[in-house]
Amino acid sequence: SKTYTGAPYFAAMAALRTGSDLAFVYCHEDAAIPIKSYSPEIIVTSLLARAEKEQQVRPALEMAKSVVIGPGLGRTPFAKEVFKALLA
């Protein structure tokens, strides 16, 4: 969600602090800059186009050993589309 930028930041930082080598945050384009400004250690990518969301996230999901979905995602129709695409 463009409003809740702290939740994805804290989830990513928790992953890094507990041993993850990389932490990716895929977020609303309006939330990308605030999250990037919190820490240079987090790899932040905005989901720019609805049609491309799965293609943007799928490569990271394929190499991930663990995934957190939801902190700051919101409940908009776009958030629901993203969630469904990630579970497919």
Side-chain angles (χ1 to χ4, degrees), residues 5-18 20 22-25 35 42 66-72:
T5 60
Y9 161 76
F10 285 117
M13 290 306 295
L16 292 172
R17 289 186 179 147
T18 56
S20 294
L22 297 172
F24 292 86
V25 171
I35 295 170
I42 302 169
S66 64
V67 177
V68 177
I69 301 172

Side-chain angles (χ1 to χ4, degrees), residues 4-84:
Y4 301 107
T5 60
Y9 161 76
F10 285 117
M13 290 306 295
L16 292 172
R17 289 186 179 147
T18 56
S20 294
D21 292 327
L22 297 172
F24 292 86
V25 171
Y26 291 88
C27 60
H28 189 281
E29 61 185 318
D30 292 343
I33 292 174
I35 295 170
K36 284 180 185 181
S37 70
Y38 297 149
S39 174
E41 297 173 307
I42 302 169
I43 301 165
V44 181
T45 302
S46 62
L47 295 173
L48 299 174
R50 293 172 193 247
E52 299 173 358
K53 65 187 169 297
E54 188 174 348
Q55 291 82 13
Q56 288 178 292
V57 178
R58 188 63 53 196
L61 286 176
E62 290 174 0
M63 71 177 200
K65 294 184 176 152
S66 64
V67 177
V68 177
I69 301 172
L73 187 62
R75 296 181 181 164
T76 65
F78 178 66
K80 291 176 184 176
E81 285 181 38
V82 170
F83 186 75
K84 287 178 184 176

